[in-house]
Amino acid sequence: MDDDRCIKKAKLENVQNLKEGEAEILVTHKNVFYNPVQEFNRDLSIAVLSLFAKDQTNVSEQNNISKHTVVNKLNGESCSKSDGITILEALSATGLRSIRYAKEIEGIKEIIANDISAEAVKAIKLNIQHNGVGHLVKPSHEDATMIMYQNRRKGFHAVDLDPYGCPSIFLDAAVQCVTNGGILLVTATDMAVLAGNSPETCYVKYGAIALKTKACHEMALRILLQHIASHAGRYGRYIVPLLSISVDFYIRVFVKVFVSQLKCKDNASKTGLVYQCTGCESFNIQPLNTKKSNKFCKPHVTVDQHCKHCRHKHYIGGPIWIGLLHDQDFVSRLLSSLDNLKLETKQRIKGVLTMIHEEIDSPLYYTSDRLMSIIKCSTPPMVLIRSALLNAGYNVSYSHANKFSIKTDAPNDVIWDIVRAWEKHHPVKREKFNADNPALVILDTPSTINISFTVHPKANPISRQSGLSRFPENPAENWGPGTRAKTMIDVTMIESKKIKNQGKFKQKNKMLKDQRMENKDDNERTNTDLSSSNQDI
């Protein structure tokens, strides 16, 4: 969509400055990282921090400190300080994000724009001066973790981490240097790892096993949240997610951090393992702990060795965060505040936030196309699947991460009842299935409830009825995080990794085949020569 286009195509040598929002940055060095693709990320961060800063100002003016904004004994100050909030952008690059924060967010006392690159710091200083925000934005040339460790006692009200790849190495310092009641903004772009392509790498980076599942994007969010909560818990802190999004090629979470040794113990009951069937891909969540009447209890295993639906074994994934992904009250107020902000990607933000506001509190989701592909049956319209769940008395919603998602609190038995009911109207050829195919067991299992596909009044969500931008297509080819430490001003100048690797395996196989043919020809010539020699003898 035009509103969502972040790419600014211009020849690098002709670019004098780049404008985004109310900020304008100068291009001075080719190795300073700037990613125009992330404008949506920066716009959303401005919206969140604007509301966060306003909340702190209101608390101060009313002199009504809530239970979560008590004086931070560790950091020596409160998050409701009257003269504005302090922000650390630990990985600043050009300083664009910090400059936009300074010019577009009210209620800021100070912003530290830090980067470990000397060239980046030169660019930051130049851009601060060019935008006239030197009274708010201070440049810093330091290792990101060191500046956070050095400010553990003083603390920042907001810490923004937007690294290239995995944020894990910064989290230990980040959870310590944010004030009590402060906010962490964390991005992860290594989605191949978080989506289950390399479980062992995911465990090394995040301490969790990612599964290859259609709900991989939400699972990625929950792995990151669990990882942050784990770091925070070591220092007597706990997190409250305000907003967790998966868009484009990355995930980003906005979490508040509070100090309480007692509430840290709740982390065990907000963390769980995922059991996913190897056959039908049904999943079950196993909490690591449960809490009843303020007492923690060791839970019993909720799954058998074999799946009850198709008799196949399970994969084990996690641990993941099984608590809330969003604070729906915060999301509602954030939606209302958008009208007062000038953001280039406002329409897309509104669409995504509306979908998030519609999401139900139920970990992970199924997708309609994958459910039906298990039994090799045609896929019903989404409105009919949602109607069947609503008619059965269960809640259902989309996930903002997948346009085919079925996020529901219905048990797996009901999910497969719906699949069986649809198959009765659209029979499949069972003789084509192998003997061990999970579809045979699923289809031969009696249904537990009666299924009605009568269209339910709530089957069509408001976000869809309103025609909001829910799942916009990528605004440019080869849309992605780009390359590390490059000034991605002119996308046409950078050979996409996708294009460069196009047909890589095909070329490799062709090369191996040619090599085998060449070796075969050499062997044949050798044998021919030997035969000729023997005949001469």
Side-chain angles (χ1 to χ4, degrees):
M1 297 181 66
D2 291 338
D3 290 338
D4 300 326
R5 286 185 179 272
C6 303
I7 301 294
K8 299 171 175 60
K9 296 186 177 181
K11 293 295 182 182
L12 183 61
E13 59 270 18
N14 297 329
V15 171
Q16 298 298 322
N17 53 59
L18 290 168
K19 186 170 177 61
E20 183 181 295
E22 295 184 16
E24 193 173 67
I25 63 169
L26 304 176
V27 179
T28 59
H29 196 279
K30 64 181 181 180
N31 289 326
V32 176
F33 186 87
Y34 165 70
N35 190 355
V37 171
Q38 291 273 37
E39 185 174 3
F40 174 84
N41 182 323
R42 290 184 280 268
D43 283 356
L44 181 60
S45 300
I46 287 170
V48 170
L49 284 176
S50 295
L51 184 56
F52 173 77
K54 183 179 179 181
D55 287 346
Q56 307 315 312
T57 301
N58 290 340
V59 168
S60 177
E61 289 177 352
Q62 296 170 5
N63 196 24
N64 182 21
I65 301 177
S66 68
K67 61 180 179 180
H68 289 315
T69 53
V70 296
V71 174
N72 187 343
K73 294 181 180 180
L74 294 177
N75 293 332
E77 62 179 69
S78 168
C79 193
S80 57
K81 198 167 182 177
S82 59
D83 52 355
I85 64 172
T86 55
I87 301 174
L88 169 66
E89 187 191 1
L91 308 159
S92 194
T94 60
L96 171 62
R97 188 182 295 261
S98 292
I99 293 168
R100 288 197 63 188
Y101 287 172
K103 301 189 79 170
E104 299 178 44
I105 300 175
E106 296 181 359
I108 290 180
K109 176 185 177 183
E110 184 182 51
I111 302 172
I112 304 297
N114 177 76
D115 204 282
I116 197 172
S117 165
E119 292 295 339
V121 175
K122 288 180 183 178
I124 291 170
K125 291 178 179 178
L126 191 63
N127 288 324
I128 289 173
Q129 182 181 7
H130 180 71
N131 286 271
V133 291
H135 61 295
L136 288 178
V137 184
K138 309 299 180 186
S140 170
H141 183 202
E142 185 62 85
D143 178 88
T145 54
M146 287 305 299
I147 192 172
M148 288 188 283
Y149 281 130
Q150 291 165 0
N151 285 275
R152 283 178 294 180
R153 187 171 296 277
K154 174 186 174 183
F156 298 96
H157 299 117
V159 176
D160 194 322
L161 296 173
D162 188 25
Y164 182 94
C166 175
S168 293
I169 60 174
F170 307 108
L171 294 179
D172 183 78
V175 296
Q176 295 183 70
C177 79
V178 67
T179 57
N180 183 26
I183 186 172
L184 278 180
L185 304 85
V186 184
T187 301
T189 64
D190 54 338
M191 289 305 296
V193 173
L194 285 166
N197 286 347
S198 182
E200 64 281 1
T201 304
C202 187
Y203 185 79
V204 169
K205 291 185 174 183
Y206 295 95
I209 296 294
L211 297 175
K212 272 197 170 184
T213 168
K214 286 293 186 177
C216 61
H217 294 94
E218 182 177 324
M219 191 168 187
L221 284 170
R222 293 184 179 277
I223 286 174
L224 178 57
L225 286 172
Q226 187 277 331
H227 196 45
I228 297 172
S230 176
H231 279 284
R234 296 165 194 164
Y235 304 100
R237 297 181 164 215
Y238 69 98
I239 67 169
V240 176
L242 297 179
L243 178 66
S244 308
I245 65 165
S246 170
V247 292
D248 296 332
F249 52 85
Y250 63 91
I251 57 174
R252 186 156 171 87
V253 297
F254 304 81
V255 300
K256 275 191 171 183
V257 181
F258 298 104
V259 177
S260 173
Q261 289 281 359
L262 181 62
K263 290 198 173 183
C264 283
K265 296 178 181 179
D266 290 339
N267 282 353
S269 57
K270 295 179 181 178
T271 305
L273 299 175
V274 182
Y275 289 86
Q276 183 188 34
C277 175
T278 59
C280 66
E281 299 183 12
S282 299
F283 63 81
N284 292 276
I285 306 296
Q286 173 66 60
L288 297 185
N289 209 341
T290 57
K291 187 177 182 181
K292 296 180 180 179
S293 302
N294 293 325
K295 290 185 178 181
F296 293 99
C297 308
K298 295 178 181 178
H300 298 288
V301 178
T302 57
V303 296
D304 296 327
Q305 184 177 359
H306 293 88
C307 173
K308 63 181 290 188
H309 305 289
C310 70
R311 305 290 184 264
H312 282 63
K313 293 184 177 180
H314 291 96
Y315 292 124
I316 302 178
I320 65 170
W321 176 264
I322 59 175
L324 296 176
L325 284 180
H326 323 285
D327 181 336
Q328 291 295 357
D329 177 64
F330 182 85
V331 174
S332 178
R333 293 191 296 119
L334 188 59
L335 271 167
S336 300
S337 70
L338 290 178
D339 294 335
N340 301 322
L341 300 173
K342 288 185 177 181
L343 302 171
E344 188 70 21
T345 61
K346 183 190 293 187
Q347 292 306 312
R348 186 183 180 190
I349 292 175
K350 186 177 180 181
V352 171
L353 291 181
T354 302
M355 288 207 68
I356 287 174
H357 195 43
E358 293 172 344
E359 283 185 11
I360 66 171
D361 174 26
S362 182
L364 306 182
Y365 55 83
Y366 293 101
T367 60
S368 57
D369 55 342
R370 186 56 187 157
L371 283 174
M372 293 302 165
S373 70
I374 296 293
I375 64 167
K376 310 299 181 185
C377 185
S378 61
T379 304
M382 185 63 76
V383 68
L384 295 185
I385 297 178
R386 290 168 59 90
S387 294
L389 287 164
L390 291 167
N391 291 332
Y394 297 99
N395 296 311
V396 63
S397 73
Y398 282 98
S399 166
H400 73 280
N402 192 307
K403 62 181 177 181
F404 301 112
S405 55
I406 304 169
K407 197 171 180 64
T408 180
D409 55 2
N412 290 332
D413 292 319
V414 174
I415 298 292
W416 292 116
D417 282 348
I418 293 172
V419 172
R420 281 187 285 267
W422 181 257
E423 191 271 340
K424 287 181 180 179
H425 298 289
H426 303 80
V428 298
K429 296 180 179 179
R430 303 191 184 193
E431 61 273 10
K432 291 187 176 181
F433 293 130
N434 297 326
D436 61 344
N437 195 300
L440 289 177
V441 180
I442 290 171
L443 294 176
D444 291 339
T445 302
S447 294
T448 59
I449 62 171
N450 293 323
I451 299 298
S452 170
F453 288 105
T454 304
V455 176
H456 193 279
K458 296 182 180 179
N460 193 11
I462 294 175
S463 59
R464 186 170 181 268
Q465 294 179 35
S466 304
L468 296 176
S469 175
R470 302 187 306 158
F471 303 103
E473 295 182 0
N474 292 340
E477 291 184 1
N478 309 313
W479 191 253
T483 53
R484 189 187 298 270
K486 295 285 185 181
T487 310
M488 293 178 292
I489 308 302
D490 183 6
V491 177
T492 61
M493 294 177 61
I494 300 175
E495 184 181 13
S496 168
K497 185 177 180 181
K498 178 180 177 181
I499 295 175
K500 186 173 67 175
N501 292 333
Q502 193 74 35
K504 179 174 66 175
F505 294 108
K506 186 177 180 180
Q507 293 172 9
K508 183 179 178 181
N509 291 334
K510 184 177 183 300
M511 184 176 66
L512 291 174
K513 184 178 179 180
D514 292 342
Q515 189 175 359
R516 285 195 298 268
M517 291 297 294
E518 185 177 342
N519 292 337
K520 183 179 179 181
D521 292 340
D522 290 341
N523 291 334
E524 288 178 352
R525 282 195 295 269
T526 301
N527 293 333
T528 302
D529 293 342
L530 289 173
S531 299
S532 300
S533 299
N534 291 334
Q535 289 176 1
D536 292 341
I537 293 172

